[in-house]
Amino acid sequence: MIYGKKGRQRVLLKVTCLKGLIPLNISTAPVCVKVKMSSPLTLQMLARSSLLKNEALAISALNTLPMELFPPLFKDAFKGKQTNILRAMVAAWPFTCLPVGALMKFHDLKILEAVLDGLDLLIQQKDRPKSWKLEVLDFRDAHHNFWNVWAGTEDGVCSPDVISETQPVVHHPERKGKEVVTVMMNLSLKSMHLCKYLKYFHWWAKQRKDVLQVICEKLEFGALPDYNPLELLEIFEPSCIQELEVNARWDLRTLSIFAPCLGQMKNLQKLLFKEIFMPLNCFWNQEMKQQCFRQIIFQFSQLNKLQHLYLNRVFLLNARLDQVLRNLHSPLQTLAITRCALSESDMSYLSQCPSIHHLTRLDLSGVYLLNVSHPILGRLLERLSATLQTLKLKDCMLMDFQMGVILPALSQCCQLVEVNFMKNFLSLTSLKKLLQHTANLTQLTLEMYPAPDEVYDDIGDVLPDRFAQCCSELMETLRGIRQPKEVYFVSKKCLDCQGFCVYELEASLCSCWE
């Protein structure tokens, strides 16, 4: 014990001494000293440092080490790359979950090997000590609060309440009749090659499939892989993947190879495909092309929990949108079909598709609607009037003659929070009518409109004075209808500054966006 004085009161401060295992060289005689209330934490840090200097002692002490000292000691050993101590601590971890991913700012193969070796020690133990409770090894970059509380960088004390509040909660499927350890991770594969880190983990997990389940809830491909993605994913539980993003240019053939795995993602909630293109060997081979189409489109029928669908530059949708959406059995919340070519039959089906009647977000940016029968757009908005919160019709080639049918339906979408009509071809008169039909849209917080056609000269350059005058008129029209929050009128690209002329709600002059 150390006695300190605070004012006239004597304050008794308790120091955890690792059950007598660490010599602290503190006199047992009462000593009157001035100490800050954080001094016990500093002494604990010194105790941990003393323990980590003796590797054999540290490992032998784990069976008697108080559980509240495990997280800060593990964090210190991790920072110092003391792999032997880490290996032993993983096996002896006294909590159900070890959120090691929060500590991994960089991929370190030696650290990974040590952590997985520790998991091996745990798996190989037939009669585990009751204090060894690890069930989930979490490689996700989350649960930072767990380490902050235990390290003393956030308010909190080491008590059973803090243990339950900071320990991550992980839900995962269980294999009947088998005792398994779960590994959690999210993958963002930015390179076309697999890194050494992931190659090692794949090799390690493949050898232990009978006693291990690997769960990846979020999977992103940021490049066209030069490896077979199916071989990589064979170690994962595909039914646990909830978000899949292909944020790279994949060719049709690669996507069709990957498609069977997509069909196994029974709990997938978010799906994003970006830039799926046609390779030359498929372009001229009609039989191969149709086979790839069927293979991909069929998998949508397996996605019973899909809620958010993003398709950007996916050429295979043209004249096939009905085949994709008809296979969906649950209502979507988000539908973003952008930079895609859609036929009138596609838009006609979309306006009556059962899967979209609960949409909260619709994005058709970059879908040219000039040749689409405009009553179809009106019917589509009418169906979504009760739920739609975000509407993006940016760069859709919308013109004045189409707005007459759209506006009455738009005025009924009273839940709208965000609208974007930028890069369309609308006159000052048409834009005023558009704003007048937003009187009932009182929840709008972000509005983006194109600058009217009248602000351009004969060769398409912006006339700054005319731009400011027209946008000022539009803003006055809007203020006369309701109280706007965040509004922008944006021109086409300015040749002088290579940006966009923008008129903002509170601005008296236009500015430029790059």
Side-chain angles (χ1 to χ4, degrees):
M1 302 294 180
I2 297 177
Y3 292 89
K5 277 190 175 182
K6 187 178 181 182
R8 293 185 177 180
Q9 296 180 341
R10 297 170 68 85
V11 182
L12 180 63
L13 305 178
K14 185 178 180 181
V15 180
T16 302
C17 295
L18 306 189
K19 295 189 176 180
L21 293 172
I22 303 172
L24 294 180
N25 297 323
I26 297 176
S27 173
T28 56
V31 180
C32 289
V33 295
K34 289 185 178 181
V35 294
K36 295 181 179 180
M37 295 301 291
S38 60
S39 293
L41 180 61
T42 303
L43 290 172
Q44 189 192 92
M45 292 171 63
L46 292 172
R48 298 198 308 265
S49 176
S50 177
L51 185 60
L52 290 175
K53 288 178 181 178
N54 189 331
E55 186 176 280
L57 176 61
I59 293 174
S60 65
L62 293 180
N63 288 333
T64 56
L65 191 71
M67 66 185 301
E68 61 265 23
L69 293 182
F70 263 80
L73 189 65
F74 185 92
K75 195 172 181 180
D76 290 346
F78 191 97
K79 186 176 180 180
K81 296 186 178 182
Q82 295 179 264
T83 54
N84 290 330
I85 295 177
L86 287 177
R87 184 181 297 110
M89 291 196 74
V90 170
W93 193 249
F95 307 100
T96 57
C97 180
L98 173 53
V100 69
L103 303 178
M104 289 185 165
K105 295 182 180 179
F106 306 100
H107 286 171
D108 188 313
L109 186 57
K110 290 185 178 180
I111 292 289
L112 175 67
E113 290 175 352
V115 170
L116 296 182
D117 286 347
L119 204 56
D120 273 336
L121 291 175
L122 180 67
I123 292 172
Q124 293 164 8
Q125 284 284 340
K126 293 183 179 179
D127 299 317
R128 300 177 190 172
K130 291 183 179 180
S131 60
W132 293 18
K133 298 179 181 179
L134 182 61
E135 297 177 1
V136 179
L137 182 62
D138 195 341
F139 282 105
R140 296 174 299 177
D141 184 17
H143 311 303
H144 296 274
N145 184 59
F146 173 81
W147 299 106
N148 291 339
V149 168
W150 288 107
T153 55
E154 289 190 3
D155 292 338
V157 293
C158 297
S159 69
D161 292 337
V162 175
I163 293 173
S164 61
E165 289 175 6
T166 61
Q167 182 66 6
V169 178
V170 179
H171 302 286
H172 55 84
E174 296 182 358
R175 298 180 187 174
K176 295 181 179 179
K178 286 188 177 181
E179 185 176 354
V180 298
V181 174
T182 298
V183 176
M184 303 281 297
M185 60 170 51
N186 292 327
L187 287 183
S188 182
L189 305 170
K190 301 294 187 181
S191 172
M192 62 184 298
H193 309 291
L194 283 183
C195 63
K196 293 180 180 179
Y197 184 90
L198 194 52
K199 281 183 179 179
Y200 180 82
F201 178 80
H202 180 267
W203 170 85
W204 178 88
K206 193 174 180 180
Q207 315 303 315
R208 295 157 180 81
K209 289 193 70 173
D210 57 333
V211 293
L212 186 77
Q213 63 178 2
V214 184
I215 292 178
C216 175
E217 294 180 341
K218 298 179 180 180
L219 173 62
E220 178 189 5
F221 290 95
L224 179 65
D226 68 347
Y227 52 87
N228 187 339
L230 292 183
E231 292 182 6
L232 171 66
L233 295 178
E234 65 184 354
I235 64 171
F236 295 100
E237 301 279 351
S239 63
C240 295
I241 297 177
Q242 297 179 19
E243 297 184 14
L244 171 64
E245 296 188 12
V246 179
N247 262 314
R249 295 184 78 244
W250 275 25
D251 62 85
L252 184 69
R253 183 64 177 161
T254 302
L255 184 58
S256 66
I257 292 173
F258 180 79
C261 186
L262 173 65
Q264 297 176 42
M265 301 178 188
K266 307 292 185 182
N267 292 298
L268 193 68
Q269 298 177 22
K270 176 184 177 181
L271 175 61
L272 183 151
F273 286 144
K274 181 179 180 180
E275 296 193 59
I276 306 300
F277 68 95
M278 176 79 74
L280 287 177
N281 62 337
C282 284
F283 187 82
W284 301 110
N285 190 329
Q286 291 297 322
E287 184 178 349
M288 179 186 293
K289 185 163 58 174
Q290 293 304 320
Q291 184 179 355
C292 290
F293 286 154
R294 288 193 296 269
Q295 178 80 318
I296 296 167
I297 291 174
F298 171 75
Q299 306 307 325
F300 282 86
S301 64
Q302 311 301 309
L303 308 180
N304 296 324
K305 295 188 179 180
L306 190 64
Q307 297 178 21
H308 309 281
L309 179 59
Y310 300 82
L311 303 171
N312 181 278
R313 294 186 186 272
V314 180
F315 75 94
L316 61 88
L317 290 181
N318 193 12
R320 296 184 184 87
L321 183 62
D322 61 326
Q323 298 176 42
V324 173
L325 297 182
R326 187 176 288 116
N327 281 324
L328 300 178
H329 301 298
S330 59
L332 292 172
Q333 293 182 24
T334 301
L335 179 61
I337 301 175
T338 55
R339 304 288 179 260
C340 296
L342 295 182
S343 65
E344 180 156 347
S345 64
D346 290 329
M347 290 299 301
S348 180
Y349 179 78
L350 183 60
S351 68
Q352 54 189 323
C353 174
S355 299
I356 69 155
H357 65 284
H358 287 312
L359 276 186
T360 60
R361 179 183 174 89
L362 176 65
D363 187 354
L364 296 177
S365 298
V367 176
Y368 290 164
L369 302 175
L370 180 61
N371 297 321
V372 174
S373 175
H374 40 285
I376 292 177
L377 299 177
R379 290 199 299 270
L380 176 59
L381 292 180
E382 283 179 7
R383 288 202 61 206
L384 304 178
S385 60
T387 60
L388 196 62
Q389 297 177 15
T390 298
L391 174 63
K392 294 187 177 182
L393 296 175
K394 176 183 175 182
D395 195 17
C396 291
M397 297 283 287
L398 288 175
M399 306 188 78
D400 289 349
F401 72 91
Q402 294 169 293
M403 299 304 289
V405 175
I406 296 176
L407 295 183
L410 179 68
S411 65
Q412 299 175 34
C413 299
C414 55
Q415 302 299 319
L416 276 174
V417 175
E418 177 183 352
V419 294
N420 189 332
F421 287 91
M422 285 170 49
K423 292 190 177 181
N424 287 298
F425 303 95
L426 303 178
S427 66
L428 181 63
T429 301
S430 188
L431 279 169
K432 285 184 177 181
K433 289 180 180 179
L434 170 57
L435 297 178
Q436 289 165 353
H437 277 81
T438 65
N440 295 328
L441 311 186
T442 56
Q443 296 190 48
L444 278 176
T445 58
L446 176 59
E447 305 168 61
M448 304 187 78
Y449 303 104
D453 295 340
E454 288 84 348
V455 307
Y456 306 103
D457 62 17
D458 293 339
I459 60 174
D461 290 340
V462 178
L463 300 170
D465 292 341
R466 185 63 175 155
F467 178 84
Q469 179 186 346
C470 288
C471 292
S472 179
E473 284 185 41
L474 290 168
M475 204 66 80
E476 288 304 311
T477 299
L478 186 56
R479 285 196 179 101
I481 297 169
R482 56 182 169 80
Q483 185 60 44
K485 296 181 177 66
E486 189 174 356
V487 183
Y488 301 93
F489 293 96
V490 185
S491 75
K492 291 182 288 187
K493 202 163 194 178
C494 177
L495 296 179
D496 292 333
C497 64
Q498 292 300 308
F500 301 93
C501 291
V502 181
Y503 192 95
E504 302 179 41
L505 174 62
E506 300 300 333
S508 57
L509 296 174
C510 66
S511 57
C512 287
W513 286 351
E514 293 184 357

